[in-house]
Amino acid sequence: MTLFALVFFEPKASFHHESLHISATGERIVKQTLTDGSEIDLNSLAKLSVHYSAKSRDITLHEGEALFAVAKDVNRPFKVTSGNLKFEALGTVFNITKKTNRHELVVLEGQVKTLLENPLPQSWIINAGEKLLLSKTGEALLSKIHQGTPPNWFDNHLVAEKMPLGVLIKYMSNWSTLPIKISPEVSGRLISGQFDLAQTHHNLDILVRLYNLKLQKTDSYWMLVKDANLQ
């Protein structure tokens, strides 16, 4: 984990606090406590910056996934910006995932006001026990979750339900000390099961045995391919 912090103080009640938080491969920042008492957990390979002033608390999620537990402060709203989306906490615990083509918001406690700035301005109030999926084009899908359930990554586990192998490998590669590559001919296979992301070699061994694959290893990466000798 790498953490950089830069703090500025101005006279009287006006102040600014800025910091950058980055998690490395296979690493999470557990309960990083900010100056107001809010806490942030970063999933592997996440990056965010914090800007606090006397009037606002502004977070920018540059990439990856983060879980926020927000301390109440009626005089300073807590806002998270990620791409063309803005999230405002209304006294809450919530999880944001930024991916290439979409964002995912899961609210565990309280409410989160969500604003899509473009291509067409839209807004939502998401309540505890709800999940909002938003595409870059503004398509929204709201669904229910089991209230209070933390995201799967929070305890290093990922539950796959007919997940393409290529997608699963992307998750695993974030936690692996070596990059994991996969041949195109097997990347579309649908995988179901629960995986401990901290156990890379064990996970790969399971995939090899259950899905007729072959694992090749070099000094710089793992490679999953189809074994021609297996039918």
Side-chain angles (χ1 to χ4, degrees):
M1 184 272 293
T2 306
L3 176 64
F4 303 94
L6 184 60
V7 182
F8 299 93
F9 291 98
E10 296 181 355
K12 300 181 181 179
S14 177
F15 69 93
H16 291 81
H17 170 273
E18 298 184 29
S19 60
L20 176 66
H21 302 255
I22 305 172
S23 59
T25 301
E27 184 175 51
R28 288 185 296 122
I29 299 176
V30 178
K31 295 197 183 314
Q32 270 293 307
T33 303
L34 304 182
T35 56
D36 65 332
S38 296
E39 296 177 343
I40 302 177
D41 287 85
L42 295 183
N43 197 357
S44 180
L45 294 177
K47 177 182 179 182
L48 62 78
S49 56
V50 178
H51 179 86
Y52 274 17
S53 70
K55 295 183 178 180
S56 65
R57 297 173 290 171
D58 298 304
I59 312 293
T60 301
L61 179 62
H62 302 285
E63 59 186 83
E65 185 171 18
L67 179 69
F68 302 87
V70 180
K72 292 183 179 180
D73 187 339
V74 295
N75 297 316
R76 293 193 299 162
F78 188 99
K79 298 179 180 180
V80 179
T81 299
S82 182
N84 61 345
L85 286 167
K86 292 185 180 296
F87 306 89
E88 181 176 349
L90 306 177
T92 188
V93 177
F94 61 101
N95 190 85
I96 298 176
T97 307
K98 181 179 182 181
K99 298 186 177 180
T100 304
N101 297 315
R102 65 181 174 90
H103 281 79
E104 177 184 289
L105 167 69
V106 175
V107 181
L108 304 177
E109 296 179 14
Q111 294 179 317
V112 174
K113 181 180 179 180
T114 304
L115 173 65
L116 176 67
E117 297 184 321
N118 56 72
L120 179 65
Q122 301 179 68
S123 64
W124 301 264
I125 297 292
I126 309 302
N127 300 300
E130 294 181 338
K131 176 170 69 174
L132 179 66
L133 294 177
L134 280 170
S135 70
K136 279 190 173 181
T137 58
E139 297 173 325
L141 177 63
L142 184 65
S143 59
K144 296 287 187 180
I145 64 168
H146 179 65
Q147 191 167 341
T149 301
N152 290 325
W153 67 265
F154 194 73
D155 61 357
N156 301 346
H157 283 78
L158 174 69
V159 178
E161 182 63 35
K162 295 183 178 179
M163 179 181 291
L165 181 57
V167 175
L168 177 62
I169 291 303
K170 286 183 179 180
Y171 280 107
M172 290 184 177
S173 190
N174 287 345
W175 288 80
S176 175
T177 54
L178 287 177
I180 307 173
K181 300 183 179 182
I182 183 171
S183 62
E185 63 180 356
V186 296
S187 63
R189 291 191 182 183
L190 299 181
I191 308 297
S192 296
Q194 180 169 315
F195 300 89
D196 183 345
L197 295 175
Q199 301 294 326
T200 301
H201 191 274
H202 177 68
N203 293 332
L204 293 175
D205 182 61
I206 291 176
L207 292 173
V208 166
R209 289 188 288 108
L210 294 183
Y211 295 95
N212 290 349
L213 301 173
K214 183 177 180 180
L215 181 64
Q216 300 173 346
K217 184 180 179 181
T218 71
D219 292 336
S220 56
Y221 63 86
W222 299 88
M223 182 73 180
L224 274 175
V225 299
K226 182 179 179 180
D227 191 335
N229 295 323
L230 298 174
Q231 302 298 323

